Amino acid sequence: MRRRSSFPGRFPWKPGNDESGFFLPFSLFLLLIFTAVTLYSAEEYEAEKKFFREAEHAYQTERILHDAVADFLNRSGAGNVPETGIIRYENGHARYFSGRIGEHLFQIKLQCFTDHGGKLDITFLFDEETGEISGWEEN
C-alpha cells in the first residue's frame, strides 16, 4: 500500500509565485554588509588606539630627553661638568656620560629610558665656557 503524504496540496510556508524567494538572500546580503562594516570599524579603532598609544610613548621619551638636557645644563652651569649621572623622572630616567675633547669642550652621551621600554640615545657637544650645545646627533 502506498503511503499518503501528510501535507496534501501546497505547503503553507512555501512562497507564492510572486515572491520567488527574494527575502532570504536579501537578508543574508544585508547581514554580510553589516558584519563587514562592523569588522572594518573595529579594526580601524584598534589601529587608532595603537597609533595614539605609540605617539604617547614617543612623546614621553621626547619629554624625558628635553628635561634631561635642561637638568644637565643646570648641573653644569657653575663650570663643573659632571662625568656621569642618572636623572630620574616620573615616567623613566636618563643617564649621561661626559668626556673632555678640548679645553672647554665636552662630548656628552645621553640615554633616555621610559618605563614602557622606550629608549633614545643622543650625543652632543657642550662648550663649558659659553654654556651652549652644538653638534647634536641622535643615535
Side-chain angles (χ1 to χ4, degrees):
M1 177 169 205
R2 201 167 145 192
R3 188 171 171 176
R4 258 186 149 182
S5 170
S6 59
F7 298 108
R10 240 178 122 167
F11 291 112
W13 59 83
K14 191 172 183 180
N17 292 336
D18 57 341
E19 293 177 17
S20 68
F22 171 75
F23 189 71
L24 180 64
F26 182 71
S27 300
L28 291 176
F29 177 73
L30 286 180
L31 183 63
L32 175 70
I33 295 295
F34 177 73
T35 304
V37 168
T38 303
L39 289 175
Y40 176 76
S41 298
E43 183 65 32
E44 283 292 311
Y45 175 71
E46 288 298 320
E48 285 183 16
K49 270 182 28 179
K50 183 179 178 184
F51 169 76
F52 285 116
R53 189 176 325 116
E54 289 186 15
E56 179 184 9
H57 292 168
Y59 173 76
Q60 288 175 352
T61 308
E62 291 284 333
R63 186 68 203 171
I64 289 175
L65 171 67
H66 180 268
D67 291 345
V69 169
D71 288 344
F72 176 80
L73 292 176
N74 287 339
R75 290 182 181 190
S76 61
N80 183 16
V81 177
E83 288 186 22
T84 61
I86 296 178
I87 307 170
R88 301 207 184 276
Y89 297 102
E90 182 179 334
N91 297 327
H93 65 279
R95 292 183 193 156
Y96 58 88
F97 308 97
S98 65
R100 185 180 294 271
I101 59 172
E103 186 177 339
H104 296 288
L105 196 60
F106 289 87
Q107 181 177 11
I108 312 299
K109 180 174 182 174
L110 186 64
Q111 297 175 325
C112 300
F113 301 94
T114 58
D115 293 339
H116 59 79
K119 182 180 178 186
L120 186 60
D121 292 340
I122 63 161
T123 304
F124 61 90
L125 301 176
F126 176 69
D127 189 347
E128 183 181 31
E129 198 170 53
T130 63
E132 293 183 2
I133 293 177
S134 63
W136 188 275
E137 180 183 320
E138 293 188 18
N139 302 331

